[in-house]
Amino acid sequence: MGNHIETINASLLYPSQCYLGEGPVWNRERKSCFWVDIENGILFQYHWENKSIKSWKFHHKLSFVAPARDGGLILALDRSIQRFFLETEKLELITVVDDGLIGNRCNDGACDSRGRLWIGTMSMKFTNNAGTLFCINHQHQISKKIESVSISNGLAWSSDNRRLFYIDTPTRLVQSYLFDEETGEITFEKNVISIPEETGMPDGMTIDEEGMLWIAHWGGFGVYRWNPVNGKVIGKVELPVPLASSCAFAGEALDHLIITTARENMSEEELMEYPGSGDIFVAKMNVRGVAQNICSI
């Protein structure tokens, strides 16, 4: 791991006590961050300025939330992609991925610079190679981008939009794909980062303005900053809990990192030792993030 990595300590943002917190995102229009508790189907909204919290409960596994161009939100509920209007609390079905594969659900996702939605799936029984990374365009056409994935997770694009970085968690790798912004086509380039076993499993991911990747390490007590050019770790945001699940830059200046965590499958002893498991944390950063792409599907 090397000894010369810059470390920052995170503090509690909100004690959400999620079973499986995931999908943090900054919504500039609403001056809020959103995140989800997958297993309990809860959507959270935290208003950055007045620190108020709202939540909505769905009778589905809710794995993903993103701001939409029409002012609503895009949600992944089980295998369906739905539009959610906060004011009316109405859901509108957009499409379904992995249609017929009732043992699968959506997991992590992200929108590209053209507003297309990239969303991955996984088996709820964690069957290897049962998932797919899909892309959904403005006409709601679904294309398979990467097949035979096990736990489809972090996605991030380079600032020039020429590369897509992708994590299939059990591989412990970050893969680089050449990305055609115009067509959305991808071509595998190479593995750019290999996560050592002792630092946990790579989960959610975001990118900063310097092109470095921030990866939540499940079991690694934090979010690590990785250089995708040389594959080296160069920083860490320390957490007081083991299961970091995802991260996103937030705040008006995108100079804070918000981090979701989980308490999934932790023993009573572990929960007593790490009572903040499942909460959302925040750290003031020395680098800024990149503005979130808005979904326009």
Side-chain angles (χ1 to χ4, degrees), residues 15-238:
S16 50
Q17 291 285 287
C18 294
Y19 185 74
L20 180 50
E22 260 287 4
V25 66
W26 170 249
N27 188 319
R28 191 167 54 87
E29 298 298 312
R30 297 180 181 272
K31 293 184 170 51
S32 297
C33 47
F34 289 85
W35 70 98
V36 302
D37 183 350
I38 296 181
E39 297 294 326
N40 289 316
I42 300 171
L43 171 67
F44 293 91
Q45 177 185 11
Y46 176 91
H47 194 279
W48 202 251
E49 288 171 358
N50 65 27
K51 299 178 169 46
S52 63
I53 193 95
K54 286 185 78 172
S55 64
W56 296 263
K57 168 89 173 157
F58 299 88
H59 298 291
H60 304 272
K61 292 187 192 305
L62 168 59
S63 66
F64 171 78
V65 54
R69 204 166 298 288
D70 60 10
L73 299 174
I74 304 295
L75 304 181
L77 293 159
D78 295 329
R79 285 168 294 112
S80 70
I81 308 301
Q82 309 223 24
R83 198 179 310 282
F84 181 58
F85 299 95
L86 288 165
E87 282 68 32
T88 61
E89 302 191 349
K90 289 273 193 304
L91 279 170
E92 184 181 280
L93 180 66
I94 296 172
T95 192
V96 176
V97 295
D98 270 351
D99 206 7
L101 296 178
I102 57 171
N104 279 12
R105 68 162 173 83
C106 290
N107 201 42
D108 209 352
C111 293
D112 68 22
S113 57
R114 298 295 173 94
R116 293 172 289 233
L117 172 63
W118 295 66
I119 190 92
T121 59
M122 59 177 280
S123 160
M124 289 184 276
K125 292 181 177 170
F126 303 101
T127 308
N128 283 338
N129 307 318
T132 301
L133 178 66
F134 296 96
C135 178
I136 302 165
N137 70 12
H138 313 102
Q139 288 80 43
H140 301 166
Q141 294 165 318
I142 304 171
S143 49
K144 292 183 176 183
K145 295 299 185 182
I146 306 173
E147 297 189 64
S148 300
V149 298
S150 297
I151 303 177
S152 188
N153 247 317
L155 294 150
W157 283 267
S158 60
S159 58
D160 61 7
N161 283 304
R162 290 183 180 174
R163 281 178 175 80
L164 167 66
F165 299 108
Y166 174 68
I167 291 169
D168 178 9
T169 291
T171 67
R172 299 185 177 278
L173 297 170
V174 179
Q175 297 182 322
S176 172
Y177 288 81
L178 300 176
F179 176 68
D180 186 321
E181 190 177 12
E182 189 68 38
T183 64
E185 290 302 312
I186 59 171
T187 309
F188 177 72
E189 182 186 24
K190 59 185 176 180
N191 297 325
V192 289
I193 295 165
S194 179
I195 308 292
E197 199 165 330
E198 66 271 16
T199 63
M201 304 277 270
D203 202 324
M205 170 171 67
T206 192
I207 194 164
D208 66 34
E209 62 181 4
E210 295 175 1
M212 301 296 111
L213 296 170
W214 292 86
I215 302 173
H217 286 218
W218 183 268
F221 288 88
V223 175
Y224 293 69
R225 189 186 194 209
W226 289 89
N227 183 332
V229 178
N230 62 18
K232 289 189 161 54
V233 65
I234 51 177
K236 184 186 180 186
V237 176
E238 300 262 9

